């Protein structure tokens, strides 16, 4: 993997190779695109058929739903679910470098708006003003924020303005809550305050503070994380202390630690990682799913809702929300490391919350096919009760949690093509791996294509998938070449390019 120290010519070669790969597979993708439209024309698809049936009811009242972040899988999935449930969906997203978001081409959208991205110079004011104008123009009833990691706080600011100056309600935490959950150190502090278990975590603002902690607790290992968003060091999971004192000092000296750029030194836990996605409405958990996780998660498979781990993570989420004592409205996602302690009674699993994401998680894709239950959960915010299948308010309080029903397994074909087939093939030709390893990658790729589901593709709405691989990413790779911008990894599902 290339990083910021790699020669520019290698970054140039990488971008050019990916653009050529897109061009090479263009005929295949176009064939899939055209075939999908033909099949949808001759065979009525489930989503459109269900939408027509719902809207034909004289008692149905469609809501105007604004979903921001439709260029990402999570926003696109929710737009399709609200479309299937009969509502009018307005999509919006940032389009940096003038590259169109793939979600703007979705059949599920009634209309799409490009929003100005918050910048260091202009702040969030242009973005908030544009969002407010959009809400008023489209008479939006409900705004579902599917923000990325870099704009979560700005969406918290926008929520307060939108709800204060219009009748629109927002699935988004306020500024104070978003800030507290977004930052790694304040989240841990809040979790401790609520009386919930957390791993040992130290807030450090200098290299001396790091060495002081390491010197005082020599029997534990730690990893360091930047409190803010820093793509260049996000994947650095170096264990501290290193084997020798000089190696430890050398590693810490390379980290940009200061009072303006604080870090956390967190206890290293050797266990499996899991993540969750939940919808919180008026302080109640309305939707929940847990799944195995990774540092760069590109394969999604839900844990059974009745499994011990899923129940434990749901209990933690419920406790966190209830003890907060706030009428929270928004998406809440936790990352956990599960440690195994041996006691007299046997092995005991311990949940260690390590991070919180106060925004929608890509794992919401696991709710595909549940338009009625999912939209009902979201629309319950519009009134004190829930909303029934016809879009009308109900006086009955519904605290039942929605779980994925027979969820599929999700992958992204572009990511797997590169990581399981083409890149290993290059390593094979260079003698870095054996033939059997490459063949195993090919077998995994075929298994995903045949039995799993692509996170972006829908046979009744294939254009976003085609645009993602033949417009969106190639143009970003081209922009990286022209602007001499270095990157180390990309997340196809969140359309995030990690700079280095």
């Amino acid at each position: 993997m290339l990083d910021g120290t790699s020669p520019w010519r290698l970054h140039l070669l990488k971008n050019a190779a990916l653009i050529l790969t897109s061009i090479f597979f263009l005929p295949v993708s176009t064939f899939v695109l055209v075939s999908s439209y033909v099949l949808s024309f001759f065979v009525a698809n489930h989503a459109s058929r269900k939408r027509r049936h719902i809207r034909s009811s004289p008692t149905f009242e469609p809501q105007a739903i604004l979903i921001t972040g439709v260029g990402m899988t999570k926003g696109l999935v929710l737009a399709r679910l609200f479309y299937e449930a009969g509502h009018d969906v307005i999509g919006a997203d940032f389009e940096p470098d003038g590259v169109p978001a793939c979600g703007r081409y979705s059949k599920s959208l009634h209309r799409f708006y490009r929003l100005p991205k918050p910048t260091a110079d202009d702040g969030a004011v242009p973005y908030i003003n544009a969002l407010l104008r959009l809400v008023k123009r489209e008479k939006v009833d409900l705004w579902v924020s599917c923000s990325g990691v870099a704009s979560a706080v700005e969406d918290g600011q926008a929520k307060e303005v939108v709800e204060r100056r219009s009748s629109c309600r927002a699935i988004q935490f306020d500024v104070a809550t978003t800030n507290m959950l977004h930052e790694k150190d304040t989240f841990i502090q809040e979790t401790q305050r609520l009386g919930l278990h957390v791993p040992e975590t130290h807030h450090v603002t200098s290299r001396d503070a790091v060495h002081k902690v390491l010197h005082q607790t020599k029997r534990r290992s730690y990893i360091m994380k930047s409190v803010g968003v820093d793509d260049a060091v996000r994947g650095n999971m170096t264990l501290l202390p290193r084997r020798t004192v000089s190696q430890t000092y050398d590693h810490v000296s390379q980290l940009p630690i200061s009072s303006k750029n604080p870090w956390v030194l967190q206890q290293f836990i050797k266990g499996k990682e899991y993540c969750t996605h939940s919808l919180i409405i008026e302080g109640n958990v309305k939707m929940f799913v847990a799944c195995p996780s990774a540092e760069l998660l590109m394969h999604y498979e839900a844990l059974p809702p009745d499994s011990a781990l899923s129940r434990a993570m749901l209990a933690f989420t419920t406790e966190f929300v209830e003890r907060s004592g706030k009428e929270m409205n928004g998406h809440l996602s936790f990352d956990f490391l599960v440690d195994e302690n041996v006691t007299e009674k046997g092995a005991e699993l311990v949940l260690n919350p390590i991070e919180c994401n106060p925004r929608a998680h890509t794992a919401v894709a696991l709710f595909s096919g549940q338009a009625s239950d999912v939209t009902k959960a979201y629309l319950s915010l519009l009134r004190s009760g829930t909303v029934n299948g016809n879009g009308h308010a109900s006086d009955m309080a519904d605290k039942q949690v929605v779980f994925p029903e027979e969820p599929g397994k999700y992958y992204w074909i572009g990511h797997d093509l590169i990581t399981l087939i083409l890149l290993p093939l290059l390593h094979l030709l260079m003698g870095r791996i054996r033939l059997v390893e490459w063949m195993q990658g090919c077998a995994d790729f075929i298994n995903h294509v045949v039995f799993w589901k692509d996170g972006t593709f829908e046979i009744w709405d294939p254009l976003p998938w085609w645009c993602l691989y033949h417009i969106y990413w190639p143009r970003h790779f081209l922009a990286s070449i022209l602007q001499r911008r270095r990157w180390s990894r990309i997340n196809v599902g969140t359309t995030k390019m990690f700079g280095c």
Side-chain angles (χ1 to χ4, degrees):
M1 182 175 70
L2 302 183
D3 57 27
T5 63
S6 303
W8 166 247
R9 65 178 182 276
L10 294 182
H11 284 277
L12 174 63
L13 182 61
K14 174 180 65 176
N15 286 299
L18 289 169
I19 292 172
L20 291 174
T21 301
S22 174
I23 295 173
F24 180 82
F25 285 99
L26 180 60
V28 177
S29 299
T30 304
F31 174 78
V32 173
L33 176 72
V34 174
S35 299
S36 298
Y37 279 123
V38 171
L39 287 173
S40 295
F41 180 79
F42 288 105
V43 181
N45 65 77
H46 170 75
S48 296
R49 186 169 63 248
K50 184 176 180 180
R51 176 180 174 83
R52 286 195 299 269
H53 174 72
I54 292 173
R55 291 181 72 97
S56 66
S57 171
T59 60
F60 177 72
E61 297 179 3
Q63 305 292 317
I65 310 296
L66 169 63
I67 298 180
T68 50
V70 293
M72 296 179 279
T73 294
K74 54 190 177 183
L76 183 58
V77 166
L78 287 172
R80 287 167 170 168
L81 289 172
F82 275 102
Y83 169 85
E84 183 180 338
H87 299 286
D88 298 322
V89 184
I90 299 97
D93 210 338
F94 307 127
E95 293 185 320
D97 298 324
V99 181
C102 68
R104 71 150 52 224
Y105 302 105
S106 174
K107 181 180 179 180
S108 64
L109 299 187
H110 178 66
R111 196 171 287 110
F112 176 86
Y113 290 85
R114 177 187 292 179
L115 295 172
K117 191 171 185 177
T119 63
D121 294 333
D122 299 329
V125 174
Y127 164 62
I128 295 172
N129 287 339
L131 191 66
L132 182 61
R133 287 195 300 269
L134 188 167
V135 166
K136 291 181 176 180
R137 182 183 301 123
E138 296 291 344
K139 299 179 180 178
V140 173
D141 298 300
L142 181 68
W143 168 33
V144 180
S145 168
C146 292
S147 58
V149 62
S151 61
V153 176
E154 287 81 358
D155 277 347
Q157 297 172 346
K159 170 243 178 43
E160 296 184 2
V161 174
V162 166
E163 291 195 332
R164 187 170 61 248
R165 299 175 60 181
S166 74
S167 60
C168 175
R169 298 301 305 276
I171 303 291
Q172 169 66 46
F173 298 126
D174 58 30
V175 177
T177 303
T178 303
N179 259 319
M180 178 270 293
L181 296 174
H182 179 69
E183 303 292 354
K184 300 176 182 66
D185 54 344
T186 53
F187 161 65
I188 292 294
Q189 292 167 10
E190 175 68 5
T191 307
Q192 285 180 312
R193 187 188 71 82
L194 297 177
L196 298 170
H197 171 76
V198 295
E200 181 186 336
T201 305
H202 301 271
H203 178 90
V204 292
T205 57
S206 68
R207 296 178 180 87
D208 288 341
V210 175
H211 294 304
K212 183 178 181 180
V213 173
L214 295 178
H215 179 74
Q216 291 174 344
T217 53
K218 295 182 178 180
R219 293 186 179 182
R220 282 184 173 174
S221 295
Y222 299 85
I223 57 173
M224 291 198 65
K225 302 176 184 178
S226 175
V227 169
V229 179
D230 189 343
D231 292 344
V233 296
R234 178 171 175 172
N236 191 331
M237 295 294 160
T238 302
L239 289 184
L240 295 176
R242 302 288 300 275
R243 183 173 300 178
T244 66
V245 174
S246 62
Q247 288 178 333
T248 300
Y249 271 81
D250 181 61
H251 176 77
V252 174
S253 67
Q254 299 176 38
L255 302 178
I257 309 171
S258 68
S259 58
K260 294 182 179 180
N261 185 28
W263 287 55
V264 292
L265 189 64
Q266 194 168 72
Q267 173 189 351
F268 172 71
I269 298 167
K270 189 177 181 180
K272 293 183 178 180
E273 187 173 352
Y274 296 87
C275 63
T276 67
H277 167 84
S278 57
L279 172 67
I280 312 299
I281 301 293
E282 296 183 342
N284 294 307
V285 179
K286 291 290 187 177
M287 291 169 53
F288 182 84
V289 64
C291 54
S293 186
E295 199 277 317
L296 182 63
L297 183 58
M298 293 304 304
H299 299 107
Y300 286 81
E301 182 177 2
L303 290 176
D306 58 350
S307 67
L309 273 176
S310 180
R311 292 200 308 269
M313 285 183 269
L314 173 58
F316 177 93
T317 303
T318 303
E319 283 290 311
F320 187 95
V321 173
E322 290 181 351
R323 294 186 188 185
S324 294
K326 302 176 182 178
E327 292 297 304
M328 302 171 72
N329 294 308
H331 297 111
L332 189 61
S333 304
F334 292 112
D335 290 338
F336 294 96
L337 282 171
V338 178
D339 195 14
E340 185 174 300
N341 290 340
V342 179
T343 65
E344 295 180 355
K345 298 180 180 180
E348 179 185 50
L349 296 180
V350 179
L351 287 182
N352 294 277
I354 55 174
E355 289 185 20
C356 175
N357 299 306
R359 54 189 176 274
H361 197 288
T362 307
V364 74
L366 296 165
F367 289 91
S368 293
Q370 294 175 246
S372 178
D373 289 341
V374 169
T375 56
K376 177 182 178 180
Y378 277 93
L379 291 172
S380 64
L381 176 61
L382 296 183
R383 296 172 181 87
S384 58
T386 58
V387 176
N388 62 29
N390 291 326
H392 291 296
S394 169
D395 293 329
M396 297 176 60
D398 183 2
K399 293 189 177 181
Q400 183 177 359
V401 180
V402 178
F403 298 99
E405 296 177 356
E406 300 180 1
K409 299 177 182 179
Y410 284 80
Y411 79 112
W412 283 262
I413 194 169
H415 175 270
D416 279 14
L417 177 66
I418 298 297
T419 59
L420 295 180
I421 303 291
L422 299 183
L423 196 56
L425 178 60
L426 178 62
H427 290 164
L428 176 66
L429 296 176
M430 296 172 67
R432 294 181 179 177
I433 64 172
R434 296 175 298 166
L435 178 62
V436 66
E437 294 176 272
W438 181 72
M439 292 180 65
Q440 180 59 53
C442 294
D444 291 340
F445 178 79
I446 294 172
N447 177 59
H448 291 173
V449 172
V450 175
F451 297 107
W452 289 38
K453 190 178 186 307
D454 186 274
T456 308
F457 181 80
E458 282 287 354
I459 195 168
W460 59 272
D461 188 27
L463 192 53
W465 172 83
W466 187 92
C467 292
L468 179 66
Y469 295 115
H470 300 293
I471 295 179
Y472 182 86
W473 283 119
R475 287 188 60 175
H476 271 296
F477 297 143
L478 179 60
S480 296
I481 292 174
L482 297 177
Q483 300 172 20
R484 296 181 67 87
R485 189 169 58 207
R486 287 175 164 86
W487 57 270
S488 58
R489 303 172 298 164
I490 60 174
N491 186 319
V492 179
T494 63
T495 63
K496 179 171 177 58
M497 183 177 279
F498 295 88
C500 62

